[in-house]
Amino acid sequence: METSSLSSSGSLYPPCSPSFWQYITLYFFRPFLAIFFTLSFLLSGWFLAWKLVLVHVPLVQEIFGLRKKPVKPKPENRRRLTQFYNSINARNSAP
């Protein structure tokens, strides 16, 4: 006859009841860590997006009152097309 503890018990682990600290870990500590990890991941992603991208969007700058670049007035004759159309208008208006 074989004398094996595995065959007599029927499982690999001996039966034991969880202790108080195992319940605390299982029901409170692990969910707290999961929630903390998720929130920290989301907040760090938002912070990176804010610093790298969102600060440079003009609409976000206007909503949150961030620094705004001063608007420079555009010169009247700033491009070749303006000069071209002005010369056409001058030719058409001259008799």
Side-chain angles (χ1 to χ4, degrees):
M1 241 188 171
E2 289 183 30
T3 58
S4 173
S5 63
L6 292 177
S7 62
S8 64
S9 68
S11 73
L12 294 175
Y13 302 106
C16 66
S17 63
S19 69
F20 173 73
W21 294 111
Q22 288 174 338
Y23 278 121
I24 293 292
T25 301
L26 183 64
Y27 291 114
F28 294 108
F29 190 63
R30 286 176 63 184
F32 174 75
L33 284 178
I35 292 169
F36 178 75
F37 175 76
T38 304
L39 288 178
S40 64
F41 184 73
L42 290 173
L43 288 175
S44 63
W46 173 257
F47 181 74
L48 283 174
W50 175 262
K51 285 294 185 182
L52 296 175
V53 178
L54 293 176
V55 172
H56 303 291
V57 176
L59 179 63
V60 174
Q61 289 178 350
E62 185 177 335
I63 290 172
F64 288 101
L66 301 174
R67 63 180 167 86
K68 222 176 175 184
K69 294 181 181 176
V71 178
K72 297 178 183 177
K74 296 178 181 176
E76 291 182 25
N77 297 328
R78 63 179 186 231
R79 303 208 178 188
R80 285 186 254 167
L81 289 176
T82 305
Q83 294 171 357
F84 174 73
Y85 286 120
N86 286 341
S87 66
I88 290 177
N89 287 337
R91 279 189 246 150
N92 289 340
S93 63

